[in-house]
Structure formats: C-alpha cells, structure tokens
Amino acid sequence: MAKFTFEEFSRVIAAEFNVPASQIIYVTTASDIDGWDSISHATLIMKLESAFNVTIDMDAAFSAESAGELYALAIGG
Amino acid sequence: MAGEKIVFFGNCQATALANVYSNFFAFEREQKVFRINGQERGTDEGRELLSSADIVIWQHFDFPPKMSQAEINPKSKHIYFPMVTCGWLWPFAGQERPSNERIPERLSGPYPGELGDRYLNRMIQEEVAPQAALDMYKNMDINKDVNLDRFLELNLSRQRKRDAATGFDIASCIEKNFFERRLFLTPNHPGLTLFAAVVRVVYQQLGISSVDIDFALSCIERTPFPTEETPIHPSVISHYKIPLDAEVEKYSYFQEGEFTFDQFVCRK
C-alpha cells in the first residue's frame, strides 16, 4: 500500500503551480498547467522527493506524460 | 539550393536562428525561410509548411511534441538542435503573473511567463503588499527551498541529454562560461555566447562555411533575443558566486527601462 495518496501528491503539485488541487488529476499533463515546463518540472520533482521522502528517477520523470504517471514513479510502480 | 523552403520548428530559439539565417544567408541563396512553433504546427498553414519543406530544423525539447509521419515530408532534410535553458538561476521561473493579459502590442502580455516567478505569483494571489512581499522574498534563502547545487546538476544533466540527442555540447559551453554576465537573459533566452554555439553547428549543416558564419556572428552585437531580462534572486547570486552586485544590478524590462531586483519585485 502506498505511503501517500494521489490526493496528497497532487496537492504538492498544485501548490507548486498555484492552482487548485482539483486541477491536478491523474491525466493532467504539463501542457494543462501554466508554468509547467521542463525547468519547473525539475524543481517539482525535487519538491516531491523532499515532501514524500522518495527518490524519483529523473529520466523516467521526464518521460512521464501525466501527474498519474509521476505518482506511479514516486510510489515505485 | 535556390528555391529551397527551410522551416525552423521550435520556440523563440528557433525564431532567433531563423531570423539571423534570413538576414545573412537566405536572400543570397534564394531560399525561403519560415518558422513555426508547436501551436502553429496544428494549423493548416503549419501542416502545409512541414509537409512541403525541403529542410526542417527541429528543436529538441525535454517534452517533445507528438508528431505523426504524415506531417513530415519524407524527402526533406532534417537538422536538429537542442533547447538551451537555464533553470538554475531562476528556480521559480516560467509562470506568467496572474494579472497578465494578452494585448495587441504584445501578444505574450506585459507579464509573460519568461519573466515570471511562481513564488511571487503566490504572494500576488494572497494579496500580500509589495513591500511585505519583497521583505519576505528577498530574505529567503532559496537554497533551503530548492537544493540549488542539485538543481544545477539536474539542469545540466538534461542539457547534456538534449545535446547528445542532437550532436551538440552546449552543456560544456555553459560550464566553461558559467560566470559570464548575461550568459542567459531569461530562462530560455541565451546570451550571444551560447546562441553562437548553436548557430555554428546548425548553419554548418545548412552548408554555410565557417568563415561566413564567423562573419555573420561578428556583425551581431548582442544576442538576437528580446532585451528583457529576468532578475536573479540575491541568494541565488550568492550561492553560485555569480559576479554581480545584487543590490545595484539592473535588469531590462521591455521599453520601460532597467530595474533592480527590489524594484522588479515591487512592481504590480
């Protein structure tokens, strides 16, 4: 069982981009969120790692196409 | 060859490459130069350009746009160049201000993402007064929020991957010139040193001689990107030991003048 839920995960993403948490759903992609580009993606991954005490493979993170795929990487899926 | 249609695909960096090539080489070589971005690719004109181009210069992104083979002329020559970015100087960059509006005089609005700051945007949304926002932000040790050394290495690592995919070595150029003033003007607007590094490789593949490329570059007094500059947080300057005086350094903002970091933060 994951140590943190997608809802918790999405709140960190939402906070990073100053958007309501409801805007970050499983299929949300970078193009859906203003300011989510490759630069902020690196910052985001570091924030997620710090928030949940996990290590996310950076190459895989840049291949992830959605918030859901990022979550799967974070929980080791 | 005369009559060739050359299409530069990408963001502002593709535009800069296209503009310089047009100014110095296309007319003499009787070539027609076009530039399209990701959004324009989906238009009828964009599709027509890509499918009929003789040469396409593709910008290689971290998040590459999905392309179908039907969009591309199978007989066209393809040249690739990497996106060149600087995230480490602006960890919160990329998001336009909440109040930004598209205006006819400036399609990206007066507060575009390239000059934006997610941390300051949050304070705008929370209606924090400008001076209070400045006091909080300026005294913040960015390194405690974002591990700047790791962030730098991640950014360079991504640059190396884009370089490797396209046959460039921009990351080494960045490392060699790391302390150059205005190595980047904004996260995605490189200064002349880095722009020249991209030009040399792309234009050689377009058949331009080194001598002619050097001449073109000698005629360019500044990087061909817009003049606006994103201010760097004082703690970032300090952490990386950039040779700038954070208190007095001024940054250009469109035609409105030059502003210090403090002045930039306090502007609504």
Side-chain angles (χ1 to χ4, degrees):
Chain A
M1 186 173 167
K3 291 181 184 175
F4 47 93
T5 66
F6 178 76
E7 285 67 33
E8 293 168 317
F9 191 79
S10 66
R11 277 200 289 271
V12 175
I13 299 175
E16 186 62 21
F17 295 109
N18 304 321
V19 298
S22 58
Q23 217 171 313
I24 309 298
I25 59 177
Y26 245 76
V27 296
T28 299
T29 67
S31 60
D32 296 325
I33 304 296
D34 177 43
W36 191 346
D37 58 16
S38 57
I39 294 174
S40 59
H41 194 70
T43 318
L44 174 66
I45 300 307
M46 290 170 59
K47 289 280 179 79
L48 290 168
E49 289 181 327
S50 175
F52 300 107
N53 195 29
V54 295
T55 301
I56 301 175
D57 179 82
M58 199 54 69
D59 284 346
F62 273 86
S63 297
E65 296 192 349
S66 66
E69 288 188 23
L70 269 181
Y71 176 65
L73 287 173
I75 61 174
Chain B
M1 290 191 315
E4 275 181 332
K5 181 187 283 186
I6 303 177
V7 176
F8 287 77
F9 176 87
N11 62 14
C12 46
Q13 297 175 15
T15 300
L17 285 173
N19 286 344
V20 172
Y21 188 83
S22 288
N23 287 342
F24 285 96
F25 304 113
F27 181 76
E28 266 190 12
R29 296 159 71 93
E30 298 178 36
Q31 295 167 322
K32 294 183 181 175
V33 176
F34 301 88
R35 199 279 296 179
I36 58 174
N37 60 27
Q39 289 170 323
E40 291 161 342
R41 175 170 69 90
T43 64
D44 290 340
E45 185 183 359
R47 278 192 287 270
E48 196 282 331
L49 276 175
L50 279 176
S51 63
S52 63
D54 298 295
I55 304 173
V56 183
I57 292 92
W58 299 96
Q59 186 174 24
H60 185 82
F61 296 95
D62 281 330
F63 299 147
K66 292 183 173 55
M67 303 288 294
S68 70
Q69 288 303 311
E71 295 180 74
I72 305 167
N73 178 0
K75 296 181 182 175
S76 60
K77 177 180 178 179
H78 299 275
I79 297 170
Y80 300 89
F81 72 97
M83 186 173 68
V84 181
T85 65
C86 173
W88 61 91
L89 291 180
W90 299 286
F92 304 127
Q95 189 177 65
E96 61 181 5
R97 288 193 187 201
S99 57
N100 194 39
E101 291 179 24
R102 307 289 184 264
I103 55 178
E105 299 79 8
R106 187 168 296 283
L107 296 179
S108 60
Y111 303 110
E114 197 65 22
L115 301 172
D117 186 299
R118 295 195 302 280
Y119 191 94
L120 290 176
N121 284 350
R122 191 175 311 133
M123 286 201 263
I124 291 173
Q125 289 177 331
E126 293 173 358
E127 299 183 342
V128 177
Q131 187 60 46
L134 173 63
D135 292 341
M136 272 194 278
Y137 193 34
K138 190 173 180 182
N139 291 318
M140 179 181 173
D141 182 356
I142 300 286
N143 193 47
K144 289 187 177 170
D145 194 82
V146 177
N147 182 325
L148 290 173
D149 288 334
R150 178 152 186 252
F151 195 49
L152 169 62
E153 187 44 47
L154 283 173
N155 274 265
L156 289 178
S157 172
R158 298 308 308 174
Q159 187 65 59
R160 288 190 198 98
K161 287 196 185 302
R162 294 192 296 268
D163 289 348
T166 52
F168 282 71
D169 192 9
I170 299 300
S172 295
C173 191
I174 289 171
E175 289 173 314
K176 182 181 171 187
N177 296 283
F178 189 81
F179 297 107
E180 178 180 296
R181 188 174 182 270
R182 302 298 190 265
L183 184 65
F184 285 87
L185 305 184
T186 72
N188 293 295
H189 293 172
L192 192 52
T193 297
L194 293 176
F195 178 70
V198 177
V199 161
R200 288 201 167 87
V201 179
V202 172
Y203 290 6
Q204 273 191 338
Q205 293 183 66
L206 284 167
I208 309 299
S209 71
S210 300
V211 170
D212 286 344
I213 294 172
D214 286 343
F215 172 74
L217 289 172
S218 73
C219 296
I220 301 173
E221 293 182 348
R222 67 171 300 282
T223 184
F225 292 92
T227 56
E228 47 270 22
E229 300 166 334
T230 309
I232 306 171
H233 193 285
S235 75
V236 172
I237 290 174
S238 170
H239 181 86
Y240 292 125
K241 298 181 174 52
I242 309 279
L244 294 176
D245 184 338
E247 290 302 318
V248 301
E249 183 69 18
K250 290 194 171 186
Y251 303 88
S252 174
Y253 199 88
F254 298 111
Q255 286 78 41
E256 296 177 32
E258 295 184 328
F259 303 90
T260 63
F261 176 84
D262 289 20
Q263 290 169 331
F264 174 83
V265 170
C266 287
R267 281 162 64 90
K268 277 208 170 216

